[in-house]
Amino acid sequence: MKDSPADWYKDAVIYEVRVRSFCDSSANGFGDLRGLTSKLDYLKDLGVTALWLLPICPSPMRDDGYDISDYKDVHAEVGTLEEFEAFLTAAHERGMRVITELVLNHTSDRHPWFHRARSAPQGHPDRDWYVWSERPDRYPAARVIFNDFEESNWAWDDEAKAWYWHRFYSHQPDLNFDHPPVRAAVLDVVDHWFALGVDGLRLDAIPYLFEREGTSCENLPETHAYLKELRAHIDAHWPGRMLLAEANQWPVEAARYFGTGDECHMAFHFPLMPRLFMAMRREEGRPVTEILAHTPDIPASCQWALFLRNHDELTLEMVTDEDRDYLWREYAKDPQARHNLGIRRRLAPLLNNDRRRMELISALLFSLPGTPVLYYGDEIGMGEDLRLGDRNGVRTPMQWSPAANAGFSNAEPARLVLPLIEDPEYHWRTVNVENQAKNESSLLNWTKRLIALRRRHPCFGRGSMALVDAGTDHALAFVREHAGDRVLCAFNLSRFTRPLSLDLSPWRGAVPVELFGGVRFPAAADGRWSLTLGPRGFCWFALEAPR
Ligand code: BGC
């Protein structure tokens, strides 16, 4: 069967970018759309094929733009709608797709819909755009997600003289999806962005759309029914566009967001992420193989989105209490690094700035079934700043060069959207794109090679995965295969050199050809194949048919 171009997200390498922190074209200290547009050639050269933009709509910015006050415009800080369209055209001209945010669960309390709702009398349809109660004790089984900041999912509104429901910050009232005008308004927003040419929408906080007494108010059947409605609309009007579910849930629940291929095209695999870090620390593959064993098969048209780090904390909601304590102990020694149920740190510092570990975990991410999502700055190993509030320590300006303001902006340094990383180990004067572009051995150039290799082998995005016994728990090995394209991936998770004895009996006689160097290895003649991997080493081999 031929691969369908409508499944573009399966072959994609996604790059997550905070526009405000990427490149400032107007010297006001804020990254903007024109700045991002000017860096498209860098992104194309890096090899990524899709860009996911963090929120760009007008917002009071009390939750980094996830508190929207106008769904159809662009925040003046980052530009104009016309500049967004110019950016889209320029990205498309370079063959890159663009994914934006659909923050549909909640709005800012400054959104005109909320102003209208709080001033409307009870029983008036305007009031019903949000979820109100006379007492703050409904839905007691719903957990508080931002538990460092909020004690309850209810907040009092003096004007409405009633409590309103919010799953996140109290300034983010939840929309009432039982109210048909809300559903119509969201469709209108979807049409707006797709009509402009956006290729995909990330559905923020999708499990929480509906509330029902006696439930956790997550993953309710009503939410899935709504998603089927939304998807039917997309299929009818916007074929080829993609919906990506942000559902921080266990694999079985997260997989439900694919429906039977009639809900979202993609969903983040949240539980895999902390297990990759666990596998690294424990120096064994089991955390990864176990979670994959608990991951159901998904419809043929669907795809997991895999990530190591993003703009949020490294969330530990989808691990046991014991594993959370372990990960906190190992990766968040400084209590300042803990945030809600997670760790607010970047990739390089999490891995002790150890190049081998960064390569190992990135290669794993790029090998497992799904589409990898890279967080801006991690391709050069940027550091973090734990002194900044909320999750801002992982949202600092992109480090382009050793010039003033790291080449990010021409504003006065004090006016930058967030301070630059000045920790000597990750200082912007050293850790930046310009320096790394010049050095053939840099992390940036290595990441480029990794992306290029992945893109050459469709089995990574589309293939089956067969685990391979490697003769030691310290290693992880598997074969990815799609339409004649076959790659053996082998990882030594331990800090010591290890001999692996790989059971390649299903591929007896195949000739492994190492992908980075093209070197042919001895054939797997008798089924067991020996390979020695250095400390935290990995290899990818094309398995070629014997000549
Ligand atoms: C986003 C967060 C945001 C939250 C509330 C999340 O899923 O990724 O950054 O704080 O939604 O909007």
Side-chain angles (χ1 to χ4, degrees), residues 63 66 103 106 146 168-169 172 202 204-205 246 311-312 391 395:
D63 183 18
Y66 284 97
V103 186
H106 47 266
F146 283 180
F168 295 94
Y169 286 120
Q172 289 165 311
R202 170 184 178 273
D204 182 63
E246 191 225 7
H311 63 291
D312 287 328
R391 292 145 286 178
R395 298 169 175 175

Side-chain angles (χ1 to χ4, degrees), residues 8-319:
W8 57 268
Y9 45 86
K10 291 195 170 188
D11 305 309
V13 176
I14 300 177
Y15 188 89
E16 176 187 358
V17 55
R18 182 176 192 260
V19 180
R20 288 175 174 77
S21 291
F22 207 57
C23 179
D24 169 18
S25 74
S26 61
N28 68 354
F30 287 84
D32 49 41
L33 288 163
R34 280 176 39 203
L36 174 61
T37 309
S38 74
K39 295 296 184 187
L40 283 172
D41 287 331
Y42 163 78
L43 295 166
K44 185 174 166 61
D45 185 53
L46 179 59
V48 298
T49 65
L51 308 178
W52 154 27
L53 271 52
L54 290 176
I56 54 170
C57 289
S59 155
M61 294 299 291
R62 296 176 69 196
D63 183 18
D64 214 36
Y66 284 97
D67 47 332
I68 291 179
S69 55
D70 178 354
Y71 280 96
K72 291 201 192 169
D73 206 348
V74 168
H75 197 299
E77 250 166 38
V78 297
T80 63
L81 259 187
E82 289 68 37
E83 284 166 359
F84 179 72
E85 288 191 86
F87 154 73
L88 258 183
T89 307
H92 287 162
E93 277 168 7
R94 288 164 179 79
M96 279 184 270
R97 313 263 180 169
V98 174
I99 301 162
T100 56
E101 292 277 348
L102 183 66
V103 186
L104 70 176
N105 177 68
H106 47 266
T107 67
S108 158
D109 59 2
R110 311 246 186 104
H111 196 291
W113 297 341
F114 190 66
H115 286 302
R116 223 168 51 199
R118 59 164 38 143
S119 57
Q122 268 190 39
H124 191 284
D126 284 351
R127 177 99 160 186
D128 290 341
W129 279 58
Y130 294 84
V131 181
W132 299 99
S133 174
E134 278 162 20
R135 294 168 39 173
D137 58 0
R138 288 166 72 199
Y139 318 127
R143 67 192 166 120
V144 172
I145 298 169
F146 283 180
N147 63 353
D148 281 355
F149 304 89
E150 301 291 345
E151 284 177 357
S152 159
N153 287 318
W154 291 104
W156 175 253
D157 186 64
D158 238 358
E159 189 175 344
K161 299 276 178 285
W163 301 83
Y164 62 88
W165 181 247
H166 61 88
R167 291 309 301 271
F168 295 94
Y169 286 120
S170 57
H171 56 77
Q172 289 165 311
D174 275 33
L175 284 163
N176 174 15
F177 275 80
D178 281 316
H179 193 45
V182 167
R183 303 224 282 261
V186 170
L187 271 195
D188 186 42
V189 171
V190 166
D191 288 344
H192 173 75
W193 292 99
F194 280 154
L196 285 171
V198 161
D199 301 285
L201 291 170
R202 170 184 178 273
L203 307 186
D204 182 63
I206 197 68
Y208 316 113
L209 299 190
F210 288 84
E211 298 75 32
R212 291 294 180 265
E213 210 52 77
T215 73
S216 65
C217 300
E218 298 185 18
N219 313 314
L220 298 186
E222 290 81 354
T223 299
H224 290 287
Y226 168 73
L227 281 174
K228 288 183 202 300
E229 213 178 286
L230 176 61
R231 174 63 182 268
H233 177 83
I234 309 281
D235 286 347
H237 301 279
W238 308 106
R241 312 296 175 97
M242 185 273 285
L243 299 176
L244 164 57
E246 191 225 7
N248 186 357
Q249 300 289 331
W250 292 97
V252 170
E253 281 303 340
R256 295 217 168 99
Y257 287 88
F258 298 124
T260 53
D262 56 355
E263 294 186 28
C264 294
H265 306 76
M266 299 188 80
F268 287 105
H269 199 313
F270 274 94
L272 174 65
M273 183 274 295
R275 284 168 182 82
L276 289 166
F277 287 94
M278 203 164 353
M280 295 292 292
R281 208 53 154 207
R282 293 215 166 122
E283 304 186 18
E284 57 173 34
R286 196 167 302 139
V288 174
T289 50
E290 271 177 10
I291 202 69
L292 292 179
H294 286 106
T295 301
D297 288 339
I298 62 174
S301 59
C302 297
Q303 179 85 328
W304 291 111
L306 311 183
F307 64 103
L308 296 170
R309 292 298 305 110
N310 62 18
H311 63 291
D312 287 328
E313 69 274 26
L314 189 169
T315 157
L316 300 176
E317 279 165 303
M318 294 302 128
V319 296

Side-chain angles (χ1 to χ4, degrees), residues 410-545:
N410 289 327
E412 287 291 313
R415 297 187 59 196
L416 298 192
V417 57
L418 286 170
L420 293 164
I421 299 294
E422 302 211 317
D423 171 341
E425 193 175 353
Y426 303 93
H427 200 285
W428 53 271
R429 282 204 196 273
T430 325
V431 178
N432 60 60
V433 170
E434 190 180 304
N435 287 354
Q436 294 201 15
K438 287 190 288 209
N439 180 348
E440 216 181 278
S441 311
S442 65
L443 181 63
L444 175 63
N445 280 318
W446 180 84
T447 306
K448 265 167 77 169
R449 287 194 288 278
L450 185 78
I451 295 173
L453 278 181
R454 159 142 185 146
R455 287 182 58 193
R456 230 175 280 155
H457 289 274
C459 66
F460 285 124
R462 296 177 178 265
S464 58
M465 171 180 173
L467 282 175
V468 169
D469 176 44
T472 161
D473 290 344
H474 290 293
L476 182 59
F478 46 83
V479 171
R480 305 292 318 275
E481 187 159 6
H482 174 73
D485 180 38
R486 228 184 312 163
V487 173
L488 164 67
C489 309
F491 305 87
N492 172 15
L493 293 154
S494 98
R495 77 193 88 163
F496 304 117
T497 301
R498 298 251 168 207
L500 274 53
S501 168
L502 299 163
D503 179 8
L504 294 186
S505 39
W507 304 276
R508 197 184 296 269
V511 179
V513 180
E514 200 279 323
L515 290 189
F516 281 81
V519 175
R520 296 173 76 79
F521 275 57
D526 61 357
R528 275 279 165 190
W529 193 66
S530 299
L531 173 69
T532 301
L533 286 177
R536 300 193 169 102
F538 83 96
C539 278
W540 281 350
F541 297 96
L543 287 183
E544 292 191 352

